[in-house]
Amino acid sequence: MIKRRPHLLWLLVPFVLYAGALPFVNRVEPVLLGVPFLFVWLFAATLLTPVAVWLTWRGDHRLRTETEAEADAERGRR
């Protein structure tokens, strides 16, 4: 049986942060802590990317564990 994998949508977060939002944040004038906003945005995206990958891994690990438990239960019924 094919399982749905909505946790893989977390992998879209880095793409949106880096490529999708880049035209909107490519500004020099808003300055945060003396750094142009674009650099702050890229730094934040760099920090959020491992979180998104971890959330994807966690969801996939949980799904695999559930699938293995179902397979074990199915084997036990036979």
Side-chain angles (χ1 to χ4, degrees), residues 28-43:
V28 175
E29 207 35 54
V31 177
L32 299 172
L33 302 171
V35 179
F37 184 68
L38 176 63
F39 293 147
V40 174
W41 182 270
L42 292 174
F43 182 69

Side-chain angles (χ1 to χ4, degrees), residues 14-29:
F15 175 76
V16 170
L17 286 174
Y18 283 109
L22 194 57
F24 302 107
V25 300
N26 191 12
R27 309 274 188 271
V28 175
E29 207 35 54

